[in-house]
Amino acid sequence: MARSRGRPREIVEYVPSIDIGALRRAGIFATPEKKALRAWTVDADIVDLAPIVWDGRRLALRNQFIEIEREPCPFGGERYYFSCYCHRRVTKLYSPNDGPWRCRHCYGLTYRTCQEAPRDRYRSKAQCIRESLGGGPNLLDDFPPRPRGMHRTRYERLKARHNEAANRATTLLASLVFGLNKRPGRFGVAQ
């Protein structure tokens, strides 16, 4: 839901973030006293480069200590979570304007899709389905063929979701254009 008053909220996708899963895959938590160098990118531009130090209990990052919580899994292993300043257990922390690392709730961040108009949201959904199947984002192109190894029922379900989202986006766009043509003035003549 978009805000109608005040300044617009910052968007998660455009803020430097640190993901606990990416750190784990990089082997940060494998041994205590581990040091690494981490780069943050926003839209493929490097926005920050900082050393990370893991002491076995917490991360040291940009003169800030971030507590790490571990939770055992039922069949072995464990899951890692950041412990935010607000006492939430989260998997991602954000740092807008080089501020301290906090969760998205602390900074009031929102997602890009929440800020889109419904017609754009449906269009984005249809494009995402096409791209996940190996096709392009153009809704006027043929629907991509079923990828090898994908179950036929899953492919048909994705195709139905795509068609529904594309139809809704087209209907909402057509109603917008029709509404603009009915308005007097710059866009058209009143009928």
Side-chain angles (χ1 to χ4, degrees), residues 23-60:
L23 293 177
R24 186 164 188 206
R25 285 187 298 274
I28 298 291
F29 304 119
T31 59
E33 301 299 325
K34 178 91 176 190
K35 295 181 182 179
L37 193 62
R38 175 82 172 137
W40 283 272
T41 59
V42 174
D43 285 341
D45 296 328
I46 294 178
V47 294
D48 193 10
L49 187 66
I52 296 177
V53 179
W54 166 246
D55 68 1
R57 202 180 94 234
R58 59 188 181 175
L59 284 176

Side-chain angles (χ1 to χ4, degrees), residues 68-136:
I68 304 292
E69 293 184 21
R70 299 177 188 189
E71 181 178 307
C73 294
F75 297 108
E78 54 190 3
R79 286 200 175 109
Y80 292 86
Y81 295 97
F82 293 119
S83 179
C84 183
Y85 178 77
C86 65
H87 305 292
R88 280 189 173 94
R89 286 185 350 172
V90 294
T91 58
K92 276 192 171 187
L93 294 177
Y94 302 92
S95 176
N97 303 323
D98 290 330
W101 293 98
R102 304 276 191 262
C103 67
R104 72 178 188 89
H105 302 282
C106 291
Y107 283 120
L109 301 174
T110 187
Y111 295 105
R112 180 183 48 84
T113 55
C114 294
Q115 301 297 313
E116 291 179 339
R119 68 179 175 278
D120 295 331
R121 207 172 307 144
Y122 287 123
R123 180 189 41 79
S124 295
K125 183 177 184 178
Q127 287 174 334
C128 183
I129 291 171
R130 288 176 147 277
E131 290 172 352
S132 72
L133 294 173

